[in-house]
Each structure stands twice: as structure tokens, then as C-alpha cells.
Amino acid sequence: MRRAAVKLNSENLRTILDQVAEGVYVLDTDDRIVLWNAPCEILTGYTARETVGRRCSDELLMHVDGAGHRLCFDSCPMKAARDDGQPRQAEVFLRHKEGHRVPVRVHISPLRASTGEILGAVQSFVDISDKIAALEQVRRLQDLAYLDTLTGLANRRFLEEALEARLNESGRYGWTLGVIMMDIDHFKTINDTYGHEAGERVLQTVARTLRGATRSYDLVGRWGGEEFLAILSRTSREDLSSIAERYRALAEQSDVRIRGGRLRVTLSLGAALADRSGETPAALVARADELLYQSKRAGRNRVAVETSALQYG
């Protein structure tokens, strides 16, 4: 007896795509989402009910590159693939429903009819943050009482010990070492206006964004209050400046849901390179902290590296 042919339609196609490991969604020629699989829901926090029928740029994922430039309105790889029929791939940061940024690798292909006409584009994506390593680090920090329980990052005690160890290592082997001190702008006003629960959510959003933007061999943690510290191993002055700017830009493109709206978050940063013989951890952090306050005095949402400040409108 011949088996009946299975007719492929949107319903069973969604069922099939729900079984794959990657997030997959499809845009039509009007930039509207027509399919959103289950891994998309896990990776972004948005359900199919919230996304199907809406445009990708309608305050949803709002992809940005490492410099914080929004791709939905300029250089969108989905639109480019649909326009010229060529596949694309890129590493970008999507905005999670909770407001923080998630690093993903995306693959985009045009969708064609049998006639060759382009009907839309499909994107698949995977989270490229090292989740297994991050979870193991959290477990280890918990065991050693080195975990900041609110943000899930390393606490100040661990940062201080790690910085001293890496400075000693740097001195022995001649490696360069950099630190970036970061402070959430207007944090007291956020607490006073929206309450401490909102302040905690802001801290958690910033922490998740920083974790996703940090290289696997570097370390970022909560220094205290609304301050964070990143320790960058074997880094050049150019890398130090570039990574600090990445932190700033991605924080600026993150936000927190508050009272039916979204609260914008920005950081002021100071970045210092440990290139002085015999410099102590306290002295290096103090230099980065002074640079941070240069950024504050210059108008906030800025990066100051050594004696210069990079400004943004």
C-alpha cells in the first residue's frame, strides 16, 4: 500500500523547524515575520504569538554590530540577501526581550519560488556566548563565595585576587594587561524614580550585556554598587579602547522594561593599561577610576582611555 504524500505547509514546517537546535525565522518581502520557531523563543524571549505578523524592526530584536550600530535601518543582512539573492553570514548582537544584548552568529539565505522569484529571506542563528563555560564559572564562584548573587558575575573579592595574579603574571612574562572601570549613568536617579527593584533589573541587564561582550580569556565582574570592572589579558592599547567602546555601545543599545515603557541604560568608562613597572592593583584601578570620572565630567556615555576621551553625540 502506498504511503500518502505529506503536504508541506506552514503548520508542519513550523513543527519540523521546532526540532532543530538553531533559531529560525522567515521574513516576507514586506519585512514581516511569517515563521518563528521554538528555539527563537528560547534565545530571544519572544514567543511566536508576539512576533509573527510584525516587522523585524518593530522594537523586537533590533540587531546591532559590535560597535552598537543598528542594522535594521542600515546594512540589514536580511534585506540585502532578499534584494540581491546572495546568502550572508555575520556575528551580531540581538536584543533579548528582557533588554540585554546576546551575541549570535547568523546565516541568512533568500527564499525563492520555483520561478526564481525571491519571496523573502530566512535567518538561522545560534548563541555564540560560551554558556557552558559561563555556567561552570558561576558554579565555581558560588563554591568559593566569589559570586555576586544579584548579577551572576564575579564579585569584588574575586576581581581583586584575579587582578593581582594577572599583574604578577604580566610582570614575569612581559605581557600587557588592561582594566576597564564602568559605572551606570544616573543610577541613583533610576533608584529614586523607579525604585530599588528597577535598579536591580538595570544592574542585571548591564551584567548580561557585559558578559556577552567579553572575550573568553578576559574577566568582567561587579566591583560594587553600580560599578563593574573588566580585566583584559594580553591586550594592546587599541584593543583596550575597542573593547571599552564595545561595552559602551552595547550598553547604550540595551534597555529595561519599566512601567509599560523601556528605560535606556548608558555607561561611563575609564580604561587603563598596566604598562608601568611594578604597578600595584590598587594604583591601576585608581587610574581607570579617574579616567571614568573624566568621562562623567565630559557628559557621560563616554570612554576615556589614558589621557583622551572618545566622545559620542
Side-chain angles (χ1 to χ4, degrees), residues 56 58 66 89 111 151 153 157 175 208 261 265 298:
C56 182
D58 288 348
Q89 63 178 12
L111 287 177
T151 63
L153 299 181
R157 176 185 171 194
W175 296 335
R208 291 169 185 152
V265 180

Side-chain angles (χ1 to χ4, degrees), residues 26-37:
V26 176
L27 289 183
D28 64 15
T29 54
D30 195 34
D31 292 332
R32 294 192 182 277
I33 298 170
V34 296
L35 189 146
W36 187 265
N37 75 342

Side-chain angles (χ1 to χ4, degrees), residues 14-289:
R14 162 67 193 259
T15 300
I16 293 168
L17 290 178
D18 280 349
Q19 312 306 312
V20 304
E22 297 184 347
V24 178
Y25 68 95
V26 176
L27 289 183
D28 64 15
T29 54
D30 195 34
D31 292 332
R32 294 192 182 277
I33 298 170
V34 296
L35 189 146
W36 187 265
N37 75 342
C40 277
E41 298 184 352
I42 296 170
L43 292 168
T44 70
Y46 289 102
T47 65
R49 184 185 297 272
E50 294 173 293
T51 56
V52 171
R54 297 181 62 184
R55 286 187 170 87
C56 182
S57 59
D58 288 348
E59 296 298 315
L60 288 173
L61 304 184
M62 298 188 70
H63 295 90
V64 298
D65 61 18
H69 299 136
R70 292 190 180 186
L71 303 181
C72 293
F73 307 110
D74 184 29
S75 305
C76 173
M78 287 282 274
K79 292 178 182 177
R82 194 187 57 208
D83 291 344
D84 65 15
Q86 298 300 311
R88 300 284 196 288
Q89 63 178 12
E91 292 185 2
V92 301
F93 292 79
L94 63 80
R95 187 183 69 183
H96 192 275
K97 184 179 179 180
E98 295 301 318
H100 60 280
R101 288 286 170 177
V102 180
V104 293
R105 181 177 295 110
V106 300
H107 296 267
I108 303 115
S109 297
L111 287 177
R112 298 179 184 272
S114 57
T115 60
E117 177 188 4
I118 294 179
L119 304 177
V122 58
Q123 179 180 126
S124 63
F125 61 96
V126 292
D127 187 336
I128 57 174
S129 59
D130 195 342
K131 285 191 170 182
I132 295 176
L135 290 171
E136 174 60 24
Q137 183 186 65
V138 168
R139 185 197 64 76
R140 183 164 56 87
L141 293 175
Q142 284 175 324
D143 290 345
L144 297 173
Y146 285 149
L147 182 74
D148 178 69
T149 54
L150 177 64
T151 63
L153 299 181
N155 62 18
R156 179 164 179 165
R157 176 185 171 194
F158 185 78
L159 288 168
E160 289 177 332
E161 294 183 11
L163 180 55
E164 183 170 10
R166 295 193 185 188
L167 270 174
N168 290 335
E169 185 180 64
S170 176
R172 285 198 306 272
Y173 299 107
W175 296 335
T176 54
L177 179 79
V179 298
I180 302 171
M181 181 68 79
M182 297 164 272
D183 184 90
I184 299 173
D185 294 327
H186 304 295
F187 187 74
K188 183 179 185 302
T189 301
I190 293 170
N191 270 332
D192 292 345
T193 304
Y194 300 103
H196 289 287
E197 182 181 351
E200 289 183 350
R201 290 171 59 198
V202 167
L203 287 166
Q204 290 167 339
T205 295
V206 170
R208 291 169 185 152
T209 296
L210 295 178
R211 181 191 292 130
T214 298
R215 302 178 302 186
S216 61
Y217 48 88
D218 293 332
L219 175 66
V220 66
R222 185 182 178 194
W223 190 247
E226 65 271 28
E227 289 189 325
F228 297 84
L229 181 76
I231 304 171
L232 281 59
S233 300
R234 305 187 197 185
T235 190
S236 66
R237 193 176 303 275
E238 291 73 21
D239 283 343
L240 184 69
S241 177
S242 175
I243 293 169
E245 167 57 15
R246 170 177 286 195
Y247 285 150
R248 186 208 65 81
L250 292 175
E252 184 183 34
Q253 294 296 333
S254 302
D255 52 45
V256 177
R257 289 192 172 194
I258 210 84
R259 296 183 185 174
R262 287 190 178 271
L263 178 65
R264 182 184 178 214
V265 180
T266 63
L267 297 177
S268 293
L269 305 91
L273 202 63
D275 56 358
R276 302 177 183 179
S277 177
E279 186 165 44
T280 65
L284 178 58
V285 170
R287 283 203 294 129
D289 199 45

